[in-house]
Amino acid sequence: MTEAVNWTELRREAAEAARRAYAPYSGLRVGAAALLDDGEIITGCNVENASFGLTLCAECGLVSNLYDSGGGQMLAISVVAGDGDPLMPCGRCRQILIEIGGPELKVDSDDGPRRLDSLLPGAYTEADLNERKD
Ligand code: THU
């Protein structure tokens, strides 16, 4: 599906979301935009907190917005900083995205789209939980 993704538009939507970010502590505004299988685009932005560890990454807001707007399968995601250029998702967000978007989710990067499972090889998933629990 990579050929069907308008990465320019996705990056633009992510950059717009970054402008809505609340990032007074780091000064790094982050926006995320994902294309769903029905053509919809959903977005999220980072929201920081004086208690730094409580910061919400842009991808967290995006995933919440995905469910709040009725759900759907993400095909592609672009995460950008305030300058509009790709920012690679942090480790925690890679874990969140692989559960919700799956291993084939395409992730924007400076070197072109990457499969999410190439960014989180050997991921811990729900399958491990189900196989190993008592
Ligand atoms: N940030 C994100 O929103 N997503 C990421 O994947 C990386 C980091 C935010 C969190 C924090 O508000 C700022 O970037 C600086 O780390």
Side-chain angles (χ1 to χ4, degrees):
M1 288 296 288
T2 297
E3 52 281 356
V5 178
N6 184 338
W7 290 100
T8 304
E9 182 187 15
L10 214 49
R11 261 189 216 186
R12 189 172 55 240
E13 292 277 354
E16 276 181 29
R19 285 195 275 279
R20 297 189 287 270
Y22 173 69
Y25 303 107
S26 72
L28 181 63
R29 293 171 176 272
V30 182
L35 174 69
L36 307 186
D37 59 354
D38 65 359
E40 284 293 304
I41 291 178
I42 52 160
T43 61
C45 61
N46 59 333
V47 177
E48 297 187 344
N49 192 276
S51 180
F52 293 170
L54 299 180
T55 287
L56 303 175
C57 283
E59 297 92 321
C60 296
L62 180 145
V63 167
S64 178
N65 287 338
L66 170 66
Y67 280 89
D68 190 42
S69 61
Q73 177 60 50
M74 289 190 281
L75 301 178
I77 185 167
S78 179
V79 182
V80 306
D83 60 8
D85 290 331
L87 189 77
M88 298 313 290
C90 75
R92 179 173 181 267
C93 288
R94 293 179 196 203
Q95 179 71 26
I96 288 170
L97 290 172
I98 210 161
E99 169 131 356
I100 305 304
E104 295 179 24
L105 179 66
K106 303 294 186 300
V107 181
D108 197 7
S109 86
D110 285 335
D111 304 320
R114 304 267 311 264
R115 269 179 63 123
L116 179 55
D117 58 1
S118 77
L119 300 173
L120 192 63
Y124 171 78
T125 68
E126 183 191 13
D128 299 299
L129 176 63
N130 290 332
E131 285 165 16
R132 306 292 294 278
K133 65 186 176 187
D134 289 340

